[in-house]
Amino acid sequence: AILVVDRFGRKFLLIEGGIQLVICEFIVGALIASSLGTSGVGAIGPAKANAMIAFICIYIAGFAWSWGPLGWLVPSEIQPLETRAAGTGVNTFTNLLMTFVVGQTFLSMLCAMKFGVFFFFGGIGLIAILFAIFFIPETKNVPIEEIEEMVVHRHWFWRRVVSGTKAPVNALRSGSSLVQISRDASGQPHLSMIDPAKAAQVGMVDVSPTGDAAAPRAYSAAKMDRPGV
């Protein structure tokens, strides 16, 4: 994942990994069903046993380069700066909680559902693939400071969710005024002139002590060395 995530993108790995997980789940379930049936009693021959082990290993590999690491990366990237700490905390809690739930219930589900448990989790994998296709925005090569404006406010679904909020504002210094560059929910830019003192007062930008440079609040800490911003 580390080697290819910035080359192929987050969505590609999530979709490819999801397909790999689903196929392996269904194959393992089918192998168990063909040998043990619905009773769960019988014998599995060496060939099928080796095939099951192979597909479980392929499953683990697919998870390790897709939903495993990206389940931590993507949620931290798509959070706006203002909610990143809280959002990452919720993601961590949910991730570990679901890991605990699956770990505690899988053996009981296997005894009760037999081979069906693999089709059950394969079905969840199909839902995850569809979610990745339609709802997860691609954040490859997008700076974290611009995720909200460049990705979230332009996504076909999430822009409706955040339609009541303003997209992040970029501000350029122009003489004694600031050119405010904002975007609406559809991603269309709007320009307007604003007073630097008023912008600093409402927390939109940071103005240098000398008053000759201004930077958007989200950029102020890391990029005050870029007066052109």
Side-chain angles (χ1 to χ4, degrees):
I2 293 174
L3 293 176
V4 300
V5 67
D6 287 324
R7 177 179 299 178
F8 299 115
R10 283 75 167 142
K11 290 192 67 167
F12 173 82
L13 286 184
L14 289 173
I15 296 170
E16 187 280 329
I19 294 173
Q20 185 172 334
L21 301 185
V22 170
I23 292 175
C24 291
E25 290 272 14
F26 286 167
I27 291 177
V28 171
L31 290 173
I32 295 177
S34 64
S35 299
L36 305 182
T38 58
S39 66
V41 178
I44 299 178
K48 288 186 177 180
N50 290 332
M52 288 173 56
I53 294 174
F55 281 106
I56 290 174
C57 290
I58 295 173
Y59 175 96
I60 295 172
F63 181 82
W65 66 54
S66 60
W67 288 89
L70 297 185
W72 299 98
L73 175 64
V74 173
S76 66
E77 286 186 332
I78 62 176
Q79 290 289 331
L81 294 174
E82 294 82 359
T83 63
R84 179 154 298 144
T88 302
V90 172
N91 173 67
T92 301
F93 171 78
T94 305
N95 200 328
L96 295 179
L97 176 63
M98 292 299 103
T99 300
F100 172 80
V101 170
V102 172
Q104 293 297 313
T105 60
F106 179 78
L107 289 180
S108 298
M109 294 176 65
L110 179 62
C111 292
M113 302 173 63
K114 307 300 188 294
F115 63 87
V117 68
F118 294 96
F119 292 101
F120 172 79
F121 284 108
I124 293 180
L126 290 176
I127 296 174
I129 294 171
L130 294 175
F131 184 85
I133 293 174
F134 294 107
F135 295 105
I136 295 182
E138 178 57 73
T139 56
K140 182 182 71 171
N141 297 329
V142 180
I144 292 180
E145 296 85 356
E146 299 178 8
I147 289 290
E148 189 177 1
E149 177 183 357
M150 302 299 293
V151 177
V152 178
H153 280 268
R154 299 185 184 186
H155 190 271
W156 73 272
F157 176 79
W158 298 116
R159 70 184 183 190
R160 304 176 186 177
V161 177
V162 299
S163 60
T165 64
K166 293 183 178 180
V169 175
N170 293 331
L172 303 179
R173 190 64 187 248
S174 177
S176 60
S177 300
L178 288 174
V179 180
Q180 175 181 315
I181 309 173
S182 59
R183 297 182 183 274
D184 57 25
S186 64
Q188 296 298 318
H190 300 278
L191 306 181
S192 59
M193 304 297 291
I194 58 176
D195 178 72
K198 182 181 295 184
Q201 184 178 4
V202 299
M204 185 181 300
V205 296
D206 286 331
V207 179
S208 65
T210 59
D212 59 355
R217 176 71 67 180
Y219 287 78
S220 58
K223 299 187 178 180
M224 278 299 289
D225 59 338
R226 291 175 54 187
V229 175

